Amino acid sequence: MKKQTQLPNTLTTPSFIQKLQWIADPVKYMENAAQQYPDIFTARVVGFGDTIVFVNHPQGIQEIFANDRKKFATVGEINKIMQPFLGDYSLLMLDGDHHKSQRQLLMPPFHGERIRAYGELINNLTKKVFSKLQKDLPFSARNVMQEISLLVILQAIFGLYEGERCQKLQHLLSLFLDAFRSPIISSIFFFSFLQKDLGAWSPWGNFLRQREQINELLYAEIAERREHPEKDRIDILSLLMSARDETGKPITDQQLRDELITLILAGYETTASAMAWGLYWIHHLPETREKLLQELDSLGDSPDSMSIFRLPYLTAVCNETLRICPVVMFSFPKIVQENVKILGYQLESGTAVVSSIYLTHHRKDLYPQPKQFKPERFLERQFSPYEFLPFGGGVRRCLGEALALFEMKLVLATILSRYQLALVDNQPERLQRRGFTLAPARGVKMMITGQRTDRESLMTMATTSAL
Ligand code: HEM
């Protein structure tokens, strides 16, 4: 990559220290940098090539998103880091026209209208997973949300409901994606010299073997579907298998495999962390929970999923959760192709830029008292797509946004309407790196303290005895 002589607000901390800070505690790293340069700064962090310009001001973000097909290449180093997971045909590895046409092929099954068909499934899976939890026994909300979100993906995306293949995939995928569980383990993806197959016990060797087993299962499922196609299936894999590109060609097996893994990687951890954060904030602030329960109860017994989805306070709670704890820290980096001006700074071709979701969501001028959880902000005013951007923006805006929001609202509503939950301790949670995402460091420890029907009957008893 060509080096630009004058980059905006270059951080002066030695490069290797910046890299270590970025891997170990990206939030602290970004906040320290933004204290010095709130709108735009140049960092030297691992995973982005030599230097990268962080843009944290809505106007600068608009300048990037509005021009991203014309003036930027959209596959940066970070996408390449994910190649061992995703393969060469993944949407994340494609740029320009290839990306555009593959995205058009993938988009229809993720449209809001289609997603509605999964309401009952999400509801039932949440009930099933929660029915296994015992009263007064602590559990990690993040792990439980992960189980729900993986089952939603296996059923809604793969159409796998039960059987040996489904169970094996569920087990292998959760192990595979656990490779991101700590900053240390994640670093094998950032440093290629650590990517050595030293047998099944070495981190990289283990990763390669798990990937092989997952591939076998996925290819077996694809082959079986091709042999016995069923017209009525509504899962995303079936819809993709019947899709044709503009030249009339169907998607190949390898493309299908790569896209399936991409959808899991992009959709599983992200949605699970967002839902765990939702549970955390709702139970950390009793008045938020009370308001939410009042709103949910106003829908009466067995409300339909669209009425839940449209609830204004629930929507505000989910938005505020994604604002204060954005699961994805930044939108995918972009490389300047022809000289471009951002926030008045001239950036030359070859410069890497990134729109910082985390720092924009924590700007005091947009969100007064940014560290406080206040869903009301989203009821009081509308934020532009450059001010509130948990799903990124421009040509790579999240494909799974409708599914993620639908799932988040339905899962939270189902849990809250049925159970009384409590956080196990009062210690505040904090954001920790989990691969390319931010997750609650302690996993949000909670327990079930009662069924909501119990509470209602207790309340009835209390009122009766008082009479
Ligand atoms: C709360 C959950 C989620 C969050 C916060 C999230 C966030 C994001 C962000 C920030 C991007 C990058 C956008 C950009 O560069 O501007 C992205 C891309 C993407 N997401 Fe999500 N995502 C979530 C859930 C999902 C789900 C459930 C799926 C699918 C099952 C999904 C599929 C994708 C795909 C395929 C891309 C790449 C799009 C492209 O390259 O054209 N995401 N997501």
Side-chain angles (χ1 to χ4, degrees), residues 65 68 79 91-92 94 99 103 106 110 153 157 236 259 262-264 266-272 274-275 322 326-334 357 389-401 403-405 407-408:
F65 286 163
D68 51 3
N79 304 55
L91 191 63
L92 299 189
L94 304 177
H99 172 259
R103 205 176 142 97
L106 289 173
F110 286 98
I153 289 191
I157 297 190
I236 291 172
E259 295 307 9
T262 303
L263 296 175
I264 298 173
Y268 160 63
E269 295 253 320
T270 44
T271 316
M275 296 191 297
L322 291 165
V327 181
V328 183
M329 293 176 257
F330 42 78
S331 71
F332 287 116
K334 299 179 169 61
I357 300 174
L389 57 152
F391 296 98
V395 296
R396 286 199 177 267
R397 189 183 173 117
C398 177
L399 205 71
E401 176 175 352
L403 175 61
L405 284 174
E407 183 177 340
M408 188 175 176

Side-chain angles (χ1 to χ4, degrees), residues 287-392:
E287 63 277 23
T288 303
R289 179 174 176 270
E290 278 316 308
K291 270 192 185 174
L292 208 46
L293 282 176
Q294 269 178 26
E295 189 182 60
L296 286 169
D297 289 349
S298 72
L299 291 178
D301 290 337
S302 337
D304 68 284
S305 51
M306 278 322 285
S307 316
I308 297 175
F309 182 74
R310 290 198 195 102
L311 287 173
Y313 193 66
L314 177 62
T315 303
V317 166
C318 291
N319 284 348
E320 180 66 348
T321 302
L322 291 165
R323 177 198 70 81
I324 198 165
C325 303
V327 181
V328 183
M329 293 176 257
F330 42 78
S331 71
F332 287 116
K334 299 179 169 61
I335 315 294
V336 175
Q337 295 299 287
E338 48 181 274
N339 293 358
V340 65
K341 235 183 191 174
I342 294 185
L343 293 176
Y345 292 94
Q346 188 73 41
L347 301 183
E348 289 173 9
S349 136
T351 312
V353 294
V354 76
S355 308
S356 171
I357 300 174
Y358 179 87
L359 289 176
T360 308
H361 284 189
H362 284 255
R363 287 184 70 93
K364 283 197 190 88
D365 54 352
L366 291 175
Y367 304 101
Q369 299 174 305
K371 304 292 172 211
Q372 288 192 20
F373 187 84
K374 293 183 178 179
E376 288 69 21
R377 358 174 163 255
F378 284 90
L379 300 172
E380 286 156 10
R381 68 160 277 203
Q382 278 217 308
F383 295 92
S384 81
Y386 316 108
E387 294 170 334
F388 177 61
L389 57 152
F391 296 98

Side-chain angles (χ1 to χ4, degrees), residues 133-139 420 422 424 446-450:
L133 300 175
Q134 284 178 29
K135 193 169 170 249
D136 298 330
L137 225 62
F139 63 90
Q420 286 180 322
V424 167
M446 304 192 82
M447 60 185 179
I448 296 181
T449 54

Side-chain angles (χ1 to χ4, degrees), residues 151-443:
L151 287 170
V152 170
I153 289 191
L154 284 173
Q155 301 198 2
I157 297 190
F158 289 51
L160 280 172
Y161 293 86
E162 52 198 14
E164 200 189 340
R165 192 176 292 147
C166 177
Q167 277 173 10
K168 272 193 185 164
L169 258 178
Q170 189 184 348
H171 175 67
L172 279 168
L173 284 170
S174 38
L175 285 181
F176 190 59
L177 296 164
D178 230 29
F180 289 132
R181 70 187 170 275
S182 78
I184 306 283
I185 298 186
S186 312
S187 54
I188 59 169
F189 297 98
F190 291 111
F191 300 110
S192 51
F193 66 87
L194 295 175
Q195 296 172 4
K196 295 258 180 329
D197 182 0
L198 303 172
W201 294 103
S202 65
W204 192 248
N206 182 37
F207 165 78
L208 294 179
R209 280 158 188 81
Q210 280 174 358
R211 185 179 69 180
E212 207 37 55
Q213 291 175 46
I214 291 172
N215 284 352
E216 271 172 30
L217 291 167
L218 288 180
Y219 282 125
E221 182 64 23
I222 294 170
E224 206 173 289
R225 296 282 187 93
R226 292 229 192 261
E227 246 173 75
H228 309 286
E230 283 173 43
K231 267 207 221 120
D232 303 333
R233 298 188 73 131
I234 56 156
D235 57 86
I236 291 172
L237 172 58
S238 301
L239 299 171
L240 289 179
M241 287 176 91
S242 56
R244 297 288 176 270
D245 68 12
E246 64 270 24
T247 65
K249 272 201 308 224
I251 196 161
T252 66
D253 286 3
Q254 198 174 346
Q255 277 175 317
L256 272 175
R257 177 268 168 211
D258 289 359
E259 295 307 9
L260 288 176
I261 288 287
T262 303
L263 296 175
I264 298 173
L265 186 87
Y268 160 63
E269 295 253 320
T270 44
T271 316
S273 290
M275 296 191 297
W277 276 121
L279 282 177
Y280 170 75
W281 285 110
I282 293 166
H283 292 87
H284 187 64
L285 300 168
E287 63 277 23
T288 303
R289 179 174 176 270
E290 278 316 308
K291 270 192 185 174
L292 208 46
L293 282 176
Q294 269 178 26
E295 189 182 60
L296 286 169
D297 289 349
S298 72
L299 291 178
D301 290 337
S302 337
D304 68 284
S305 51
M306 278 322 285
S307 316
I308 297 175
F309 182 74
R310 290 198 195 102
L311 287 173
Y313 193 66
L314 177 62
T315 303
V317 166
C318 291
N319 284 348
E320 180 66 348
T321 302
L322 291 165
R323 177 198 70 81
I324 198 165
C325 303
V327 181
V328 183
M329 293 176 257
F330 42 78
S331 71
F332 287 116
K334 299 179 169 61
I335 315 294
V336 175
Q337 295 299 287
E338 48 181 274
N339 293 358
V340 65
K341 235 183 191 174
I342 294 185
L343 293 176
Y345 292 94
Q346 188 73 41
L347 301 183
E348 289 173 9
S349 136
T351 312
V353 294
V354 76
S355 308
S356 171
I357 300 174
Y358 179 87
L359 289 176
T360 308
H361 284 189
H362 284 255
R363 287 184 70 93
K364 283 197 190 88
D365 54 352
L366 291 175
Y367 304 101
Q369 299 174 305
K371 304 292 172 211
Q372 288 192 20
F373 187 84
K374 293 183 178 179
E376 288 69 21
R377 358 174 163 255
F378 284 90
L379 300 172
E380 286 156 10
R381 68 160 277 203
Q382 278 217 308
F383 295 92
S384 81
Y386 316 108
E387 294 170 334
F388 177 61
L389 57 152
F391 296 98
V395 296
R396 286 199 177 267
R397 189 183 173 117
C398 177
L399 205 71
E401 176 175 352
L403 175 61
L405 284 174
F406 191 58
E407 183 177 340
M408 188 175 176
K409 290 183 190 178
L410 289 197
V411 169
L412 292 178
T414 306
I415 297 169
L416 279 171
S417 322
R418 295 173 75 89
Y419 294 98
Q420 286 180 322
L421 296 174
L423 291 169
V424 167
D425 57 47
N426 285 329
Q427 275 189 51
E429 268 287 357
R430 66 180 183 84
L431 290 151
Q432 186 186 48
R433 175 189 283 286
R434 199 174 156 99
F436 307 103
T437 65
L438 291 175
R442 291 180 304 117

Side-chain angles (χ1 to χ4, degrees), residues 92-135:
L92 299 189
M93 297 299 137
L94 304 177
D95 216 340
D97 288 345
H98 281 129
H99 172 259
K100 197 173 171 186
S101 61
Q102 186 73 353
R103 205 176 142 97
Q104 270 163 5
L105 211 63
L106 289 173
M107 253 156 67
F110 286 98
H111 195 270
E113 295 282 322
R114 293 268 196 182
I115 296 301
R116 281 180 208 175
Y118 306 126
E120 206 181 319
L121 184 148
I122 294 172
N123 212 331
N124 290 340
L125 285 175
T126 311
K127 288 183 199 160
K128 188 174 147 193
V129 171
F130 256 73
S131 67
K132 291 188 288 183
L133 300 175
Q134 284 178 29
K135 193 169 170 249

Side-chain angles (χ1 to χ4, degrees), residues 20-36:
L20 286 179
Q21 288 173 338
W22 171 246
I23 292 183
D25 193 346
V27 168
K28 197 164 162 203
Y29 173 85
M30 288 189 291
E31 286 189 336
N32 285 345
Q35 255 181 10
Q36 219 179 333

